[in-house]
Amino acid sequence: MWMALGWGALAGGAVVIGALIGLFLPMKQRYIGYVMSFGTGILIGAATFELLDEALNKSTTFIVAISFIIGSLVFTGFDFFVSSRGASKRKRSGGGNEGTGTAIFFGTILDAIPESIMIGASLLSGNVSAALVAAIFVSNIPEGLSSTTGLQKDGFSKKKILIMWGVVWLISALASLAGYSVLANLPDMQFAMIGSFASGGIIAMLASTMMPEAHEEGGTIVGLLASLGLITAIVLS
């Protein structure tokens, strides 16, 4: 149980690292795009080979497919809601958020919860998914950086920004703990449904937030970096 909390805290803590970089050590945007594209590849691999593959071992293709689609739809619905209130560019390293810092904050939590839940769930097999932890950690750094830029433009102080990311860090750890504690007692069918649901949400998140930013900032080389991230996920699996 405590391992689930710790691994969730490790992956979620990357948001705080990104925030610190954004506040005190500005980074060129193309480098952020490189990191984000590599993280995108790892997350695609983790969502496919860690989540969907395990779900298919526990349930039918039909159930997995329906759960995956529902996960994508639910994330897209919530993403549309927070984006319409100013969080549409919460992962953008150049900032440019047009709404409130609160929308950016809740949008980041929306991204973090399904990822962290599946970190905890991966421990049910005996060992944490190194690919999933690495993917979330890598993707959280540019998210913390880019969202911090938007919060600063919205007038938030450094202290308040760090407190907000500290809350995201705590939620990530607790979500990982919940993934381990709750899913441990579920039948295979329900476990597969939740895993597929989370995978759908992660893929939808990648397509709507990380992929556009990576290409815009990193250029054509991001395709290669994403491919390297994908093969890295396979190796770690």
Side-chain angles (χ1 to χ4, degrees):
M1 181 177 72
W2 295 113
M3 288 185 64
L5 188 71
W7 284 114
L10 174 64
V15 175
V16 179
I17 294 174
L20 291 172
I21 293 173
L23 289 172
F24 303 109
L25 187 64
M27 182 183 295
K28 290 185 178 180
Q29 293 181 13
R30 73 171 180 274
Y31 295 142
I32 300 171
Y34 297 160
V35 173
M36 189 172 286
S37 60
F38 185 77
T40 296
I42 297 182
L43 267 177
I44 292 174
T48 303
F49 297 104
E50 296 287 340
L51 304 184
L52 288 181
D53 187 56
E54 180 67 19
L56 287 169
N57 288 333
K58 295 179 180 294
S59 185
T60 65
T61 302
F62 177 78
I63 294 296
V64 169
I66 293 297
S67 301
F68 181 89
I69 293 171
I70 292 174
S72 301
L73 288 172
V74 170
F75 177 88
T76 300
F78 278 108
D79 189 40
F80 178 81
F81 177 78
V82 298
S83 295
S84 66
R85 283 155 178 75
S88 61
K89 299 181 180 180
R90 60 186 177 277
K91 285 181 179 282
R92 296 305 175 98
S93 53
N97 295 280
E98 300 173 351
T100 68
T102 303
I104 299 172
F105 175 64
F106 282 109
T108 304
I109 292 176
L110 172 65
D111 298 336
I113 288 177
E115 300 170 342
S116 299
I117 288 175
M118 296 320 298
I119 288 178
S122 72
L123 280 164
L124 297 176
S125 63
N127 296 298
V128 71
S129 168
L132 195 59
V133 173
I136 295 170
F137 187 91
V138 170
S139 66
N140 276 346
I141 292 177
E143 175 163 14
L145 195 161
S146 59
S147 295
T148 294
T149 302
L151 290 170
Q152 283 184 301
K153 289 184 177 183
D154 205 34
F156 282 68
S157 67
K158 291 181 178 179
K159 180 180 179 180
K160 191 167 185 178
I161 290 172
L162 289 175
I163 290 174
M164 292 172 73
W165 294 140
V167 172
V168 173
W169 188 6
L170 177 61
I171 290 174
S172 297
L174 293 177
S176 179
L177 177 61
Y180 178 83
S181 302
V182 175
L183 296 181
N185 300 316
L186 290 180
D188 285 352
M189 177 69 76
Q190 295 181 25
F191 183 95
M193 291 172 66
I194 292 176
S196 304
F197 180 91
S199 180
I202 289 172
I203 295 298
M205 180 270 290
L206 292 174
S208 65
T209 58
M210 289 181 66
M211 289 179 181
E213 160 74 353
H215 185 266
E216 288 177 17
E217 302 300 345
T220 54
I221 195 174
V222 300
L224 172 62
L225 293 174
S227 299
L228 293 175
L230 177 58
I231 198 65
T232 298
I234 296 174
V235 172
L236 290 175
S237 297

